[in-house]
Amino acid sequence: MSQAPARSLPSFSADQAEAWARVSALLDAVGIDLDTASATSAQRRDTDEILAILGKAGSGKTMLLSELTRALTDAGVELVSADYEPRRKSDRRSLAILAPTNKAASVLRARGVPATTIHRILYTPVYDPEYQKIADWLAGNGARPETDALDAQALDRAQAFYAQVASIPGALAAAGLRGSDFIKGWTRRENPLDIGFVDESSMLDARQLDDLRAIFPTLVLFGDPAQLAPVGQGGAMVFDTLDAARQCHLSTVHRQARGNPILDLAHALADPALEFEEFEARVEAAAAQDDRVVVARSVDADLMARSPVLVWRNATRIRLIHAFRAAFDAPEADLLPGEPLICDGLELPLKHRKRRIDLEARGLIKGAQVVYLGPGRRPGFSRLHVFGAEEPQISVASIVKIEKDAESEPFIPFAAHMGAAFLHGAAVTIHKAQGSQWPAVQVFAPDLWAAARSGRSESGIPLWKRLAYVAITRAEHRLHWVVRTRLRRPSAPLSVDDLRAAPAAPLSLDAAAG
């Protein structure tokens, strides 16, 4: 049994305190006592404990997740990283913090929560044996190695970094290495873990939840019931299938959220009597009082390069993408460095399963947001910056598709025979934007008006309100509410100067580099 002095807790609201007590009881049932900061050495694998903590934006879900994570580490529970997993100790329990997308995981990491993607936790890294010795030593699982892989000064730099930030990849990077130097591949996880905290669980589908329950006998889901359900689930979210005893609701809007005009607008959508025209008047009133809300008469082409316009209709998305490319004088047969893309999946035969795992483990899962940096060294290869990935710049065989309209086949400016498929990312649907946040967000209001006119509902709530809620809460600092179908010309050519970093690491589909 491990034990440490219990920490004092932050000041919780009544609903947060109830949620803490519910999670504490759940963990106590599997041998982890948050009050005494102690944990037993084993969990029964026949248990199936699950709890959903549900609340809208500003209700304190992330703060609660963060505090629970700290309490579990104080109790001796071991955090599992996607980039390094130590040999399991019989007296240590394990915890993984998960999100459905790279962007959602990076949002948590920016707030100090060591999150990774669900996909990454389904696979474990295979380290080069020499670097495995170094990783084990840094994590306290072995003696300082004598190795030709790093000299004594590099080992000292790695150790000094790890003492400040407990990240194996970060420590090895401080010693002058990249992930591709020490991670030689990925393999499907064979051994289960103990506890999983899953953020943005409104994005999970039933199959993903089944995969997680096969790995984690104890799961805590954190989700927002006001968001949009995954496509194909009839408006229902996975936590809707849980009985009331397995749900805990947060309703208090906290001090740091109150007075935020963006969240005020999001919460106003809960009024069942609110109509679209009245809501738009509230947006205009907020914009008149606070510069964090802007009523825009046109779409900002400069902003589209890093923050996509959020739309409801696919036809709107395609029109805006073509307007963006025309504004920057992009040639039809090629991409300009700086154009944004969205990963649309991997087009690989089954015999390339290992390559698929490598690509997905490096951040190229469906929905990943990237920026095109330029062509690779071989035809069909692209150099890319993957937002939210821990090693963001890579070179990969690519198939880029630019859709013309709803009826025509997409135009493909260039393509490898196989690889990662991409759509243009200057505009995306609000469904695909879930789990992501940007400093500034443009919401295309004519599409939300069209959704309101359609009269459609999802789980008893008007669709336009769900769409507006998700779109608005993607904005971290500024909301641009675009009211006209116009595009403002860019102020400067496309650039990748803001993404300058180390050379891209190749992810080829054969022995040669891309």
Side-chain angles (χ1 to χ4, degrees):
M1 176 180 292
S2 59
Q3 188 163 343
R7 288 186 310 111
S8 60
L9 297 177
S11 177
F12 285 146
S13 60
D15 52 3
Q16 285 180 320
E18 180 188 355
W20 181 278
R22 295 279 298 276
V23 177
S24 294
L26 181 91
L27 296 172
D28 188 62
V30 297
I32 299 174
D33 190 332
L34 296 186
D35 292 331
T36 61
S38 60
T40 57
S41 60
Q43 178 170 351
R44 299 192 315 275
R45 293 296 169 187
D46 58 349
T47 60
D48 184 17
E49 306 290 343
I50 186 169
L51 178 68
I53 307 295
L54 308 176
K56 293 184 179 180
S59 61
K61 297 187 299 296
T62 301
M63 189 271 273
L64 194 61
L65 188 158
S66 178
E67 289 298 327
L68 285 165
T69 300
R70 291 191 183 98
L72 282 166
T73 55
D74 286 350
V77 175
E78 189 169 64
L79 277 170
V80 175
S81 162
D83 290 299
Y84 170 71
E85 190 169 333
R87 301 186 188 96
R88 292 297 302 276
K89 297 179 180 179
S90 60
D91 62 341
R92 297 291 296 274
R93 307 291 288 281
S94 59
L95 166 69
I97 315 299
L98 310 172
T101 66
N102 295 297
K103 198 73 165 70
S106 70
V107 168
L108 283 177
R109 290 197 296 270
R111 297 177 182 178
V113 180
T116 188
T117 63
I118 292 169
H119 192 93
R120 287 286 291 270
I121 216 66
L122 295 176
Y123 300 97
T124 55
V126 178
Y127 271 51
D128 178 280
E130 285 299 303
Y131 294 115
Q132 182 71 50
K133 296 176 187 176
I134 300 170
D136 289 341
W137 162 64
L138 289 170
N141 298 322
R144 180 180 175 114
E146 294 183 4
T147 174
D148 294 332
L150 293 176
D151 61 25
Q153 289 183 330
L155 286 174
D156 289 342
R157 290 198 304 273
Q159 186 180 35
F161 182 95
Y162 192 80
Q164 298 295 319
V165 181
S167 166
I168 296 294
L172 295 178
L177 301 171
R178 298 177 302 176
S180 55
D181 294 322
F182 52 85
I183 296 177
K184 297 305 178 185
W186 301 82
T187 184
R188 179 81 186 199
R189 177 177 297 281
E190 295 180 358
N191 299 319
L193 299 171
D194 291 318
I195 304 157
F197 287 172
V198 186
D199 196 31
E200 296 285 356
S201 62
S202 60
M203 298 174 65
L204 295 180
D205 58 33
R207 182 176 178 180
Q208 287 174 313
L209 183 61
D210 288 343
D211 283 343
L212 289 170
R213 295 182 87 162
I215 294 173
F216 297 98
T218 301
L219 270 178
V220 182
L221 310 179
F222 295 80
D224 187 337
Q227 293 197 12
L228 293 157
V231 175
Q233 291 199 177
M237 301 176 189
V238 292
F239 43 71
D240 293 332
T241 64
L242 303 178
D243 56 53
R246 294 190 174 193
Q247 297 183 25
C248 186
H249 293 266
L250 303 176
S251 56
T252 304
V253 178
H254 291 272
R255 181 170 56 245
Q256 66 270 25
R258 288 198 297 268
N260 182 328
I262 298 171
L263 291 183
D264 289 344
L265 289 169
H267 288 294
L269 292 161
D271 181 357
L274 185 71
E275 299 293 339
F276 179 82
E277 291 76 13
E278 182 184 351
F279 178 74
E280 197 156 53
R282 292 195 183 196
V283 175
E284 292 175 355
Q289 297 176 5
D290 197 307
D291 64 3
R292 287 174 287 181
V293 178
V294 177
V295 175
R297 306 296 168 183
S298 58
V299 176
D300 185 335
D302 290 321
L303 191 55
M304 292 171 76
R306 295 294 179 269
S307 176
V309 181
L310 304 186
V311 305
W312 172 45
R313 296 176 291 191
N314 207 40
T316 305
R317 180 182 66 85
I318 294 170
R319 285 198 300 271
L320 283 170
I321 287 168
H322 282 281
F324 170 87
R325 301 199 78 233
F328 282 103
D329 295 321
E332 184 177 19
D334 203 355
L335 291 176
L336 293 176
E339 290 198 64
L341 303 173
I342 301 288
C343 183
D344 196 40
L346 302 179
E347 300 189 2
L348 297 171
L350 289 176
K351 67 179 181 178
H352 286 285
R353 180 176 177 274
K354 182 181 181 299
R355 299 300 180 190
R356 175 184 293 274
I357 293 173
D358 287 342
L359 289 169
E360 291 172 335
R362 296 281 287 280
L364 282 179
I365 58 178
K366 189 165 186 176
Q369 297 161 7
V370 310
V371 169
Y372 176 74
L373 301 177
R377 294 193 296 272
R378 296 174 57 195
F381 274 68
S382 302
R383 292 182 294 114
L384 305 170
H385 181 99
V386 184
F387 286 113
E390 294 174 9
E391 188 176 344
Q393 299 206 358
I394 61 174
S395 178
V396 63
S398 307
I399 303 165
V400 179
K401 306 173 184 178
I402 299 177
E403 298 144 292
K404 291 184 176 180
D405 54 52
E407 277 112 38
S408 302
E409 288 294 316
F411 174 68
I412 301 177
F414 62 90
H417 293 298
M418 62 185 72
F422 298 94
L423 300 175
H424 206 279
V428 302
T429 62
I430 295 169
H431 269 94
K432 285 189 179 295
Q434 287 196 126
S436 296
Q437 283 191 307
W438 296 270
V441 164
Q442 299 184 88
V443 178
F444 195 69
D447 258 20
L448 298 184
W449 177 83
R453 296 279 292 178
S454 74
R456 290 172 55 180
S457 294
E458 187 176 277
S459 296
I461 299 174
L463 177 62
W464 77 267
K465 289 187 175 182
R466 285 194 180 271
L467 291 167
Y469 179 88
V470 172
I472 287 169
T473 54
R474 300 312 93 200
E476 292 178 312
H477 305 301
R478 180 162 291 175
L479 168 67
H480 296 256
W481 185 263
V482 182
V483 296
R484 296 284 187 272
T485 54
R486 300 172 183 167
L487 181 74
R488 185 162 69 246
R489 294 196 64 83
S491 61
L494 280 174
S495 171
V496 295
D497 289 345
D498 58 320
L499 304 175
R500 296 293 184 193
L507 283 179
S508 62
L509 297 174
D510 53 32

